[in-house]
């Protein structure tokens, strides 16, 4: 098969890779219906994370089970499945507590390289969730979104304790931030402030349920959030970037006693202890335990109650994966969907 391999900064190639095979008896092989480029793929693509060897890319996926190992009991060949970007046994104490992304046996799907026609998924029974039937084509982008970007946005809203009557702010207008807006709407937030200075993204945020957009950043952005929240700050703030600036903006936009759900993969973030002490906010985040939310999210998507797949504003055949990265790197696309 041919799949995406990152060689160096801005050098992603579509080239021959070995077909994946069952290695452990708990594995499944799935034929990818759709995969995509993640905002987190841009960190190594931009050379911010060093690339030491040619690396297969991609960790977001959905598709049809082709083969399962001898110990797989629930997942069956022919089923359409969605899985998280971390494989998990879904049975250990950490999984049972709802933190499957930190399962004692967690394995990153990124190491398998999902931007390819076939993918090996470890712990198939713990990782994958089957849809009720084979989905119609129009549902595939939203089901794919549940694999990471929407599941992650949902976790941010959950971690920030979004709920009815809450005032919510979202820092970051990438696909995860936009999905967090959609999650906050679904969870009943009263006011949802999207921080974005990009017109197309503001538009999608409003469509997803944002009530306000704020274009200011830094201290001015914080002041604007306070102005919109009775001078107090938001109850719930979702951070979806991962930089020092975005994290501090999130903490400073939260009222005392409020909650920050942080999702952006942290790059050089350092928290000043004294400010943190007096901020008196809850911090909860990390790699989203998407598996916890998958059954509920698949149900909402299957019944067409929500359409998170709208974050994909560019669709390309998988062999044009390099253009998919370029378009996101240059912010010409919010998120690229790829079909083998
Ligand atoms: Zn991702
Ligand atoms: Zn586990």
């Amino acid at each position: 098969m041919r799949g995406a391999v990152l060689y160096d900064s801005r050098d992603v190639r579509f080239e021959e890779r070995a077909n994946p095979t069952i290695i452990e008896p708990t594995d499944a092989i799935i034929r990818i219906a759709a995969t995509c480029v993640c905002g987190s793929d841009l960190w190594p693509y931009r050379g911010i994370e060093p690339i030491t060897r040619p690396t297969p890319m991609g960790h977001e996926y959905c598709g049809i089970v082709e083969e399962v190992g001898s110990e797989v009991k629930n997942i069956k060949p022919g089923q359409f499945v969605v899985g998280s970007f971390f494989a998990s046994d879904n049975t250990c104490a950490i999984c049972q507590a709802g933190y499957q992304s930190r399962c004692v046996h967690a394995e990153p799907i990124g190491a398998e390289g999902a931007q390819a026609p076939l993918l090996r998924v470890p712990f198939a029974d713990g990782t994958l969730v089957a849809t009720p039937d084979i989905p119609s084509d129009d549902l595939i982008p939203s089901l794919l979104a549940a694999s990471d970007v929407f599941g992650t946005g949902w976790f941010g809203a959950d971690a920030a304790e979004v709920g009815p009557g809450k005032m919510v702010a979202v820092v970051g207008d990438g696909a995860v931030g936009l999905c967090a807006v959609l999650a906050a709407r679904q969870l009943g937030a009263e006011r949802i402030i999207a921080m974005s200075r990009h017109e197309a993204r503001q538009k999608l945020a409003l469509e997803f349920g944002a009530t306000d957009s704020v274009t200011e950043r830094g201290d001015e952005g914080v002041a604007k959030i306070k102005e919109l929240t009775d001078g107090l700050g938001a109850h719930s703030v979702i951070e979806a970037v991962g930089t020092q600036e975005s994290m501090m903006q999130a903490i400073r936009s939260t009222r005392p006693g409020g909650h920050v759900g942080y999702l952006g993969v942290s790059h050089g973030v350092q928290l000043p202890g004294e400010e943190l002490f007096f901020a008196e906010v809850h911090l909860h985040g990390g790699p989203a335990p998407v598996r916890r939310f998958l059954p509920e999210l698949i149900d909402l998507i299957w019944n067409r109650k929500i359409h998170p797949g709208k974050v994909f504003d560019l669709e390309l055949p998988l062999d044009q994966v390099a253009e998919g990265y370029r378009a996101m790197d240059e912010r010409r696309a919010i998120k690229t969907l790829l079909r083998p």
Side-chain angles (χ1 to χ4, degrees), residues 295-312:
E296 182 184 359
L297 302 187
I298 288 173
D299 190 61
L300 287 166
I301 292 163
W302 194 263
N303 293 303
R304 293 187 157 78
K305 297 218 166 80
I306 48 172
H307 304 281
K310 286 183 179 169
V311 293
F312 296 108

Side-chain angles (χ1 to χ4, degrees), residues 91-170:
T91 53
C92 73
I94 304 297
C95 284
Q96 290 297 298
Y99 288 85
Q100 290 92 337
S101 47
R102 297 299 318 279
C103 171
V104 298
H105 295 121
E107 288 186 40
I109 295 289
E112 306 292 325
Q115 289 159 6
L118 292 166
L119 176 70
R120 181 180 82 99
V121 179
F123 300 107
D125 280 336
T127 307
L128 299 170
V129 178
T131 55
D133 206 338
I134 303 295
S136 62
D137 208 54
D138 67 306
L139 285 177
I140 286 183
S142 289
L143 290 168
L144 173 64
S147 171
D148 179 358
V149 63
F150 182 50
T152 294
W154 191 278
F155 170 57
D158 183 84
E161 305 221 336
V162 171
K166 296 280 183 79
M167 294 194 230
V168 179
V170 179

